[in-house]
Amino acid sequence: MEEHLMDPLLRAALTARLLADPTAHSLLDSWTAAHLEAPFGPAWDAAPPLADDWRTPPEYTPADWRYGQDNPVRLGLKTLPDSDTLGTLFGTDAPQRRSALGAAAVMARRHPYAWAAALAVTAPDRFDLRSHPTMRPDPLLGWGSALTLKPFAGGLGGLPLAYAVRDAALMGRWGVPSMPCATGGDTPIPAPVWTILDRFGYRPAFRRDPEF
């Protein structure tokens, strides 16, 4: 697991949103739009402190851009053109496009797991199971977990499931059939999910015995 993973995850999610809409009015608007459907709750409150600059897209280097051109699928693209081609394609919007694409190259190269997780959540059509690092069903990663992937557990995966399982882990409620959602109601946690988590050895991540 990448050290201090939460910061790269947040920066990657923001960057993925900018990649889809590089002309967004503000970085904060982009971040908010990317997570309107996320059921923030105890899992979010328990996240580690964030770096002050997580809303700032990372600056790229020529090496980052070359990586993107050599591995466009890792960025979630079919191809990454050179700077001159960008200018021809996008005209006055080219600088914003270049910044968003360069930031994506940085995240994909330096934080491959965080970038893969961000694409899986914010732009699932750009996520490639064969090209991106294998995501882990670690319950404590929340939306950075493989639990967010739709194919997980035979099609049970998604953001609500990832948050429900993380909340259950933080509260030590192993094996519960559902968890309250911060946006109202309960989120089911089907039995096959617990079977898979047990198989991967994540039962110890739940802090205490379930309270039935």
Side-chain angles (χ1 to χ4, degrees), residues 27-205:
L27 302 184
L28 183 56
D29 288 344
S30 296
W31 167 250
T32 302
H35 287 77
L36 286 177
E37 63 177 305
F40 296 114
W44 183 257
D45 297 336
L50 304 175
D52 292 336
D53 65 346
W54 69 267
R55 290 190 180 93
T56 303
E59 295 184 6
Y60 66 92
T61 66
D64 295 318
W65 195 272
R66 284 194 300 272
Y67 175 86
Q69 289 187 303
D70 293 340
N71 304 276
V73 178
R74 286 287 186 100
L75 273 66
L77 305 171
K78 292 182 178 179
T79 184
L80 178 62
D82 58 37
S83 183
D84 291 339
T85 302
L86 278 179
T88 301
L89 291 173
F90 298 108
T92 57
D93 287 339
Q96 292 170 305
R97 299 273 177 176
R98 191 178 297 111
S99 177
L101 290 167
V106 171
M107 297 307 302
R109 180 186 179 210
R110 305 181 194 178
H111 303 286
Y113 185 94
W115 179 246
L119 283 183
V121 173
T122 64
D125 58 320
R126 296 174 183 260
F127 177 78
D128 189 325
L129 283 169
R130 295 167 299 178
S131 300
H132 288 108
T134 302
M135 292 179 64
R136 302 177 296 277
D138 184 340
L140 295 177
L141 287 180
W143 66 263
S145 163
L147 293 161
T148 61
L149 301 180
K150 294 298 181 184
F152 184 82
L156 299 174
L159 272 175
L161 176 66
Y163 274 87
V165 171
R166 189 165 195 262
D167 287 349
L170 292 171
M171 299 174 68
R173 304 191 65 188
W174 171 264
V176 294
S178 65
M179 284 294 293
C181 179
T183 56
D186 291 339
T187 299
I189 306 178
V193 173
W194 296 113
T195 300
I196 293 173
L197 291 174
D198 202 20
R199 186 185 309 151
F200 276 89
Y202 286 114
R203 186 188 287 248

Side-chain angles (χ1 to χ4, degrees), residues 23 117 157:
T23 59

